Amino acid sequence: ADLSLLRFISAELTRGYFLEHNEAKYTERRERVYTCMRIPRELEKLMFFGIFLCLDAFLYVFTLLPLRVFLAIFRFITLPCYGLRDRRLLQPAQVCDILKGVILVICYFMMHYVDYSMMYHLIRGQSVIKLYIIYNMLEVADRLFSSFGQDILDALYWTATEPKERKRAHIGVIPHFFMAVLYVFLHAILIMVQATTLNVAFNSHNKSLLTIMMSNNFVEIKGSVFKKFEKNNLFQMSNSDIKERFTNYVLLLIVCLRNMEQFSWNPDHLWVLFPDVCMVVASEIAVDIVKHAFITKFNDITADVYSEYRASLAFDLVSSRQKNAYTDYSDSVSRRMGFIPLPLAVLLIRVVTSSIKVQGVLAYACVVLFYCGLISLKVLNSIVLLGKSCQYVKEAKMEEKLFNPVLTATPGKPVSKPQSKFKSTQGISTDENGSTSVTNQPIHQKENLPSLLVTSNSDQFLTTPDGEEKDISQDSSELKHRSSKKDLLEIDRFTICGNRID
């Protein structure tokens, strides 16, 4: 062969190659690009649905909960007129409603002893770096409070409604009640400090603190993108992002209310705050999109997984509307996403009542009209969410899970036996034509109540649709790996604590 320099240059200039010889590799790379392009749309659809779920649970505290408390108290007062037809004075749901109402009222009056103005000036006097560290510590503390707070509330509800014939294995309702009040009060103060820190950042002249706080969101990308994530872990992260985004919206609302009060409700000042609010919201959206796009890319997760996540959240909502649901939907959202509306509601009521003065008949009439508007918004939001949830459950082919749930027993607890042909173990009653009622109120079941209360839709779930799983390669090792995974409907926000992410 002629090994001349001219021949080498000629070979380099005329050398060819054929990409179709490795068609599978390049097709996979192209699909990855398409997946990254689909992530923003699919993620925002999930976020949009999840935020309205949180809004529904949040509005419930202000609208339907006071009415339910009033009905429960009215039933308790008028009970002697009708006689004791049941061993229970109140139904379990009514007991829980009264406990929530009493906790809200007590914590609201306790919050009056916390001086917001003094806290604002105390935080404003700190240096920028110190405030940045404080804000990061508050975010960690908020997650820790949320992780333990719903357990405290669930322990209170179960202690107050547990059948009395069982052997006493708790410290009593009153200690649990004081623990719940203390938790809600401390968590409300924590959120108040977060809102105050954000308010200081908004009002700083050079906006340095606000810039540092926004850049902290991008540090979150570094802490999560380069870790190994499975579908269940990504589901948990998505729920956490939904809760974080909704909480930030409420914090921004509180900051705007406090600032507008200081400027005598001058509408011109609202346009001064508008760019900063948009910057906070835009940074949150950008960070979530980039984070999820690269996590799905590095872990070979398709964009269709977000529709499965949305179907799982929709399944929770539809399950909570059944005739004999295990739990209230607001508590289900708390367990799934870590969003506990009680502390946030206490803080918002405290800020609104201190910022807006109600004087005169016309002002009280406006309050009544505003309350009626909130009820209308809550009802409309619930109707639309229920319709969309039924649609998502039907599209995911999860309807049969509502009628044939697979019950898993808590360690040491019995599993309830299946019921008749036209009644599922979750208590969804159907008539001879097969129609299902998902909006009726819960009724008391004497025999199956202890076993029904053991398991909940939020803690034990069913299998997600596996239609897409069948299209995946049938490699034996991959199937073995898939069989060991937990299903999406078995994942709540606490499961990730037991799953180590390498």
Side-chain angles (χ1 to χ4, degrees), residues 23 39 53 57-58 101 110 145 152 205 209-210 216 223 239 246 250 282 296 321 350 390 403 447 499:
E23 179 180 354
I39 288 298
L53 293 180
F58 192 57
M110 292 174 65
F145 268 83
I152 295 176
H205 297 289
L209 177 59
L210 187 61
N216 185 46
N239 291 331
F246 181 81
V250 179
T296 53
R321 293 297 194 273
R350 170 71 173 84
C390 293
F403 303 98
E447 297 180 358
N499 295 339

Side-chain angles (χ1 to χ4, degrees), residues 323-343:
K323 186 176 182 180
N324 292 315
Y326 288 125
T327 183
D328 183 68
Y329 179 66
S330 60
D331 296 328
S332 177
V333 172
S334 301
R335 299 185 192 98
R336 176 70 85 178
M337 300 182 184
F339 171 68
I340 305 177
L342 290 182

Side-chain angles (χ1 to χ4, degrees), residues 251-283:
L251 291 180
L252 289 174
L253 175 62
I254 294 174
V255 169
C256 291
L257 287 175
R258 297 296 301 178
N259 277 275
M260 293 298 291
E261 180 200 5
Q262 297 299 322
F263 287 87
S264 302
W265 299 97
N266 185 6
D268 295 335
H269 185 68
L270 186 61
W271 296 107
V272 177
L273 297 174
F274 187 73
D276 295 334
V277 173
C278 290
M279 185 174 70
V280 174
V281 174
S283 66

